[in-house]
Amino acid sequence: MPQQSIVKDGKNVPDQSHRAFPKAAKAWISKQPLGPPELDRAKNPHYTDDFRAEIACMHEAGVKVEPMADGEGYS
């Protein structure tokens, strides 16, 4: 059975309410690529400083972004 999808925020994403989703998610979780260690708080002791420096650099370049409270990204 093909995976069902929905459009969310303009992107085609898997329909997590579909009955096949839990089985499919379990199958692909081990195949997802690992993120770079620099973006992993547990592996990068300088994560918070790096994040602040990235935001400051963007501001200096005229890109106005607001950091998220949890430090996981910006808008």
Side-chain angles (χ1 to χ4, degrees):
M1 170 192 291
Q3 176 67 38
Q4 302 295 316
S5 63
I6 59 174
V7 176
K8 181 177 182 181
D9 296 330
K11 296 178 184 172
N12 213 9
V13 297
D15 180 0
Q16 295 182 19
S17 65
H18 190 272
R19 62 183 168 78
F21 185 81
K23 183 178 178 184
K26 188 175 183 181
W28 76 59
I29 193 75
S30 65
K31 295 171 177 50
Q32 289 183 333
L34 297 174
E38 296 85 1
L39 299 178
D40 185 343
R41 286 177 185 260
K43 295 178 183 174
N44 180 1
H46 307 288
Y47 178 88
T48 303
D49 293 336
D50 294 345
F51 180 70
R52 288 182 185 140
E54 179 183 16
I55 298 294
C57 181
M58 284 193 242
H59 285 175
E60 289 172 14
V63 179
K64 299 301 177 198
V65 295
E66 292 296 322
M68 295 170 63
D70 61 5
E72 292 295 323
Y74 45 82
S75 61

